[in-house]
Amino acid sequence: EFLAEVCSESFIFQHLATKEKQHFVDAFEQYDVKQGTQIITQGDVGDYFYVISSGTIEYIVDDQPVGEGHAGEAFGGLALLYNCPRAATCVA
C-alpha cells in the first residue's frame, strides 16, 4: 500500500489507471542500502525508479549538493521517462 500511494503521487504514474499502476507496484523490488551508498551516478543510463521507504537521499549535481529526498518520495524517474542520462548523483 505504501508503494501504491507513493506512485499515485508521482507525475510518472498520474495518467495511469489504478490497475495499470498496480502492475508497476507489483514489479518493484526492495533494495536496502547503507548510509553513504551511491545509488545513482549523474550521467549514467537510467535503469530503475526508486521509492524511499526510510532515511534520506542527497541529490548532487556537478559535485554540488542540490537537495534531499525523504521517506515517501521517489526519484530516478526522469531518466526513464525521457530516455536521457541521470541528471544527478543520489547518495543514501
Side-chain angles (χ1 to χ4, degrees), residues 5-85:
E5 183 177 329
V6 172
C7 288
S8 70
E9 295 172 6
S10 172
F11 73 95
I12 293 175
F13 301 102
Q14 283 180 347
H15 300 291
L16 298 178
T18 302
K19 189 172 184 177
E20 292 170 315
K21 289 177 192 173
Q22 191 59 48
H23 286 297
F24 282 99
V25 169
D26 291 343
F28 283 7
E29 299 175 16
Q30 186 167 337
Y31 183 61
D32 296 321
V33 297
K34 294 181 180 180
Q35 186 176 5
T37 300
Q38 187 167 308
I39 300 166
I40 289 177
T41 301
Q42 183 179 1
D44 280 1
V45 174
D47 51 0
Y48 290 98
F49 175 80
Y50 298 89
V51 175
I52 306 167
S53 62
S54 64
T56 302
I57 301 297
E58 181 178 27
Y59 304 129
I60 302 167
V61 176
D62 298 330
D63 297 318
Q64 298 296 316
V66 295
E68 291 184 343
H70 304 277
E73 298 177 348
F75 66 98
L78 290 176
L80 300 176
L81 188 62
Y82 297 110
N83 194 28
C84 62

